Amino acid sequence: MAGNTINVQGSYIDIHDNEVVNLNVEKGEIRLSEGRCKMSGVDDAASVLTGNADFMAIMRKAVDAGFCVDESGRFRWGVKLEAAYFASVASHRLELSKKHDKDGDLMISWKPFEALFGLKDLRLSYNDYQKCATKVRRKSEIDALFR
């Protein structure tokens, strides 16, 4: 947005620009610092999940089972490894990725889940599980959420 003028007063945002500026704030907060604008809240990357009614029904089951809590549309998991395992199963079930790994299996799309869960590096937790370095204690319960 080079050359744009952004004025902020309370909840009022005024953008002066010679081109079209699209600004969408929903269940989030805008923070201005060092000349940059950052949006917090559920990221657009999660919309592929939140827009899917079947997936949201599974998330309600996960909340009811005590795996996570719904905090204004962001799901906070108690155990990061369980969140990573859940994301791997959901990504495959929803076929979020069209890419395949070296074994020919569909790759896991981590970004939407990291945005929805407010977690980073789910892939690293999942890699630890794959290498048998850690164990998903409630794996069968997570699998049951998808039935």
Side-chain angles (χ1 to χ4, degrees):
M1 292 188 354
N4 296 342
T5 303
I6 302 174
N7 299 309
V8 179
Q9 276 189 311
S11 62
Y12 177 77
I13 301 172
D14 184 25
I15 302 173
H16 293 279
D17 174 299
N18 290 332
E19 297 178 22
V20 175
V21 174
N22 297 314
L23 180 63
N24 182 15
V25 179
E26 183 175 315
K27 293 184 181 180
E29 171 181 328
I30 293 181
R31 296 181 187 181
L32 298 174
S33 63
E34 299 177 9
R36 294 190 316 219
C37 183
K38 181 179 179 182
M39 171 93 172
S40 64
V42 178
D43 195 81
D44 285 340
S47 65
V48 69
L49 301 173
T50 58
N52 184 320
D54 293 335
F55 174 77
M56 292 308 290
I58 293 168
M59 285 307 306
R60 283 190 290 282
K61 288 185 197 178
V63 169
D64 292 343
F67 287 105
C68 57
V69 294
D70 183 353
E71 294 180 352
S72 301
R74 179 165 278 169
F75 295 89
R76 302 285 182 197
W77 284 72
V79 179
K80 186 175 182 179
L81 180 58
E82 289 177 344
Y85 179 74
F86 176 92
S88 72
V89 174
S91 180
H92 286 129
R93 289 282 176 104
L94 299 173
E95 297 180 356
L96 296 180
S97 177
K98 302 299 180 209
K99 297 179 182 178
H100 291 70
D101 64 15
K102 64 181 185 227
D103 297 325
D105 297 325
L106 279 178
M107 294 182 74
I108 299 168
S109 182
W110 295 110
K111 189 174 181 178
F113 296 98
E114 289 178 344
L116 186 62
F117 301 161
L119 294 171
K120 294 194 182 299
D121 300 324
L122 285 176
R123 178 184 54 80
L124 298 178
S125 295
Y126 185 74
N127 287 349
D128 287 344
Y129 159 70
Q130 290 290 87
K131 294 177 184 174
C132 299
T134 56
K135 183 178 179 182
V136 180
R137 296 185 192 271
R138 299 191 294 170
K139 180 179 182 280
S140 60
E141 292 176 53
I142 292 171
D143 290 337
L145 295 173
F146 293 89
R147 293 186 192 125

